[in-house]
Amino acid sequence: MDGRVTEDQAREWLTVAVAEARLGLAEGGIPIGAALFGLNGELLGRGHNRRVQDGDPSMHAETAAFRAAGRLRGYRDTVMVTTLSPCWYCSGLVRQFGIGHVVIGESVTFTGGHNWLAEHGTGITLLNDPQCVRLMTDFIAARPDLWHEDIGE
């Protein structure tokens, strides 16, 4: 960790993203959730993957949380919390807007661009939370077609 986010904070904030992932699954979508927090703990925005529900391939969880936060003067002192390692699209969003830190629930089922983000100065907290791993492994087993569509395979 880069000293900006403690593991206890990361785990607490992850509960918001997990709740979003569960909501997405209940709606018939892909169970990936995200939330954008200020370093002071203020919840700025939250959301979940809505690719299926909206018929919009760009509506990833991180995108939804970012949009829900609305315009901010800067993003360096924000933390994107996501249940799954961010794909290249979402990693690009983090980099484009200079989000200072990313908390990742797990990268066992999918490893996106978080190493690239770290190489470019973004703080990374990787929790490999068993609850997040189980959520995705269960989903992938139940809906491999939808999962492969989501990751572009």
Side-chain angles (χ1 to χ4, degrees):
M1 284 186 251
D2 69 356
R4 294 163 53 101
V5 178
T6 68
E7 186 171 338
D8 287 344
Q9 283 174 314
R11 290 194 180 281
E12 179 183 332
W13 295 346
L14 183 62
T15 63
V16 176
V18 168
E20 285 292 329
R22 292 189 188 288
L23 182 57
L25 182 62
E27 293 173 352
I30 299 163
I32 304 169
L36 188 68
F37 284 90
L39 284 176
N40 62 359
E42 178 186 5
L43 176 60
L44 303 170
R46 61 191 294 167
H48 52 277
N49 185 301
R50 295 193 50 85
R51 296 179 74 250
V52 173
Q53 299 92 312
D54 295 351
D56 180 352
S58 69
M59 189 46 73
H60 291 207
E62 297 88 342
T63 306
F66 182 76
R67 288 179 178 173
R71 288 177 59 200
L72 301 176
R73 186 150 180 84
Y75 296 88
R76 189 80 195 130
D77 290 330
T78 64
V79 179
M80 181 64 76
V81 180
T82 180
T83 58
L84 185 64
S85 178
C87 69
W88 287 108
Y89 170 64
C90 295
S91 294
L93 178 137
V94 167
R95 188 102 155 84
Q96 172 70 32
F97 291 95
I99 293 171
H101 198 99
V102 179
V103 171
I104 301 162
E106 67 104 347
S107 70
V108 173
T109 61
F110 178 80
T111 301
H114 70 264
N115 289 329
W116 174 76
L117 287 170
E119 290 168 8
H120 289 89
T122 303
I124 299 292
T125 300
L126 177 56
L127 297 172
N128 278 332
D129 180 79
Q131 176 182 209
C132 291
V133 173
R134 191 170 39 260
L135 193 60
M136 287 310 300
T137 54
D138 289 352
F139 176 77
I140 292 166
R143 294 296 313 268
D145 57 325
L146 197 51
W147 170 245
H148 286 39
E149 175 191 326
D150 191 59
I151 61 172
E153 289 184 357

